């Protein structure tokens, strides 16, 4: 059965180590789109943070979709309209914010348009997130956050300190939220109904695409849910060894245009 939807992670997957899309990857994606395959970028970033990538790949047409905020939103790329929207509640915010104080771990929260921090001494990792996503960074107290719809929250710290924080998280956190370590210094906390995997499943259902007709390409642990959700999971050669255990296919590395190889070999 032919592949009709391909969900693709960005860092370590779509782009090389210089964060560039190689000509080979560009060409393969254009051929797949021309053949009617839905190419869906799946990222932890907001739409604004990937608009340049979508534009460069000609993925801003009517009928194109993007998975943002690690699955909390699925949006039409042309309009930004959300097809899936799974935000956190203000009660969630207070719960997560209180734990950040108890664990002495910096935190920031992200809405559709802004990154907010309650830390007066703003973390360099919040500044880094603002730079990567293109979103403004603002200080707000917990009380002031009641009026904002929060898409996701992130515990941020030096890698060894963040790992220590993870070991101290209460069990109820694992039951109440989706928790994803997206980089050594970012721990993302989302609505329990939000994940790349659920987003891919729901989008495929909306488009009338069967499980066997779906593919996902990724490299790291934050891609696990979407790799497990599709009929054809593909892991990069540079990917996490644990992820390779669940892969149907292993493609070339991101430096060797592995996304192009996967599309050419198993889609086209």
């Amino acid at each position: 059965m032919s592949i009709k939807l391909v969900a693709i992670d960005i860092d370590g997957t779509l782009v090389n180590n210089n964060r560039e899309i190689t000509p080979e990857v560009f060409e393969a994606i254009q051929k797949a789109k021309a053949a009617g395959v839905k190419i869906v970028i799946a990222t932890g970033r907001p739409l604004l943070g990937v608009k340049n990538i979508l534009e460069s790949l000609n993925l801003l047409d009517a009928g194109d979709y993007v998975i943002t905020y690690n699955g909390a939103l699925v949006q039409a790329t042309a309009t930004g309209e959300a097809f899936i929207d799974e935000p956190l509640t203000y009660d969630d915010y207070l719960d997560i914010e209180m734990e950040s104080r108890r664990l002495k771990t910096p935190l920031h929260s992200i809405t559709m348009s802004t990154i907010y921090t309650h830390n007066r001494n703003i973390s360099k990792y919040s500044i880094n997130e603002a730079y990567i996503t293109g979103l403004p960074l603002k200080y707000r107290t917990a009380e002031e956050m009641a009026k904002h719809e929060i898409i996701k929250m992130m515990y941020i710290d030096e890698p060894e300190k963040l790992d220590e924080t993870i070991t101290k998280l209460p069990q109820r956190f694992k039951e109440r939220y989706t928790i994803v370590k997206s980089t050594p210094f970012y721990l993302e906390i989302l609505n329990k109904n939000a994940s790349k995997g659920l987003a891919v499943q729901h989008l495929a259902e909306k488009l009338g695409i069967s499980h066997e007709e779906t593919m996902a390409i990724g490299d790291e642990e934050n891609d696990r849910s979407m790799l497990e959700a599709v009929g054809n999971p593909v892991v990069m050669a540079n990917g996490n060894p644990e992820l390779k255990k669940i892969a149907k296919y292993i493609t070339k590395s991101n430096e060797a245009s592995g996304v192009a190889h996967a599309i050419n070999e198993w889609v086209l």
Side-chain angles (χ1 to χ4, degrees), residues 64-226:
D64 287 331
Y65 294 90
V66 61
I67 296 169
T68 55
Y69 296 97
N70 272 323
L73 286 179
V74 177
Q75 296 171 270
T77 62
T79 64
E81 179 183 359
F83 157 61
I84 294 173
D85 186 359
E86 300 287 358
L88 294 164
T89 67
Y90 184 56
D91 284 342
D92 293 332
Y93 171 86
L94 293 175
D95 184 29
I96 297 164
E97 193 266 354
M98 184 181 298
E99 282 300 313
S100 82
R101 294 180 186 276
R102 182 181 73 84
L103 297 169
K104 296 181 173 56
T105 300
L107 167 75
H108 61 234
S109 306
I110 305 181
T111 69
M112 289 278 282
S113 61
T114 307
I115 300 171
Y116 294 101
T117 178
H118 70 239
N119 305 116
R120 290 188 181 277
N121 296 321
I122 296 176
S123 168
K124 65 183 179 181
Y125 294 121
S126 291
I127 296 170
N128 180 66
E129 183 71 2
Y131 174 76
I132 290 173
T133 62
L135 296 179
L137 174 61
K138 300 179 181 180
Y139 169 82
R140 292 292 186 272
T141 65
E143 293 75 19
E144 291 174 307
M145 291 302 298
K147 61 184 178 182
H148 298 289
E149 182 177 87
I150 301 164
I151 308 299
K152 69 176 180 179
M153 300 173 70
M154 299 169 68
Y155 287 158
I156 52 178
D157 214 333
E158 300 299 328
E160 63 278 5
K161 292 182 180 178
L162 188 60
D163 286 342
E164 183 179 349
T165 292
I166 292 170
T167 66
K168 295 178 180 178
L169 288 175
Q171 179 60 32
R172 62 182 173 78
F173 258 46
K174 300 172 185 176
E175 298 166 357
R176 183 170 176 175
Y177 307 111
T178 294
I179 301 174
V180 178
K181 189 178 183 185
S182 55
T183 75
F185 42 81
Y186 286 152
L187 185 72
E188 306 194 14
I189 305 172
L190 304 101
N191 183 305
K192 191 65 175 178
N193 295 320
S195 73
K196 285 185 179 182
L198 288 171
V200 170
Q201 285 180 340
H202 293 158
L203 181 58
E205 289 170 6
K206 171 185 171 66
L207 298 173
I209 296 172
S210 71
H211 178 259
E212 292 78 14
E213 295 170 322
T214 57
M215 173 182 282
I217 311 175
D219 72 308
E220 266 304 339
E221 198 60 39
N222 62 321
D223 300 317
R224 177 179 288 274
S225 68
M226 74 172 182

Side-chain angles (χ1 to χ4, degrees), residues 10-22 24-25 219 235-239 251-260:
I10 296 179
D11 294 316
T13 302
L14 177 70
V15 298
N16 63 20
N17 294 341
N18 292 322
R19 294 188 174 179
E20 299 166 336
I21 297 169
T22 67
E24 292 81 6
V25 170
D219 72 308
V235 175
M236 307 294 290
N238 53 285
T251 188
K252 296 179 181 180
S253 72
N254 64 321
E255 284 291 280
S257 303
V259 166

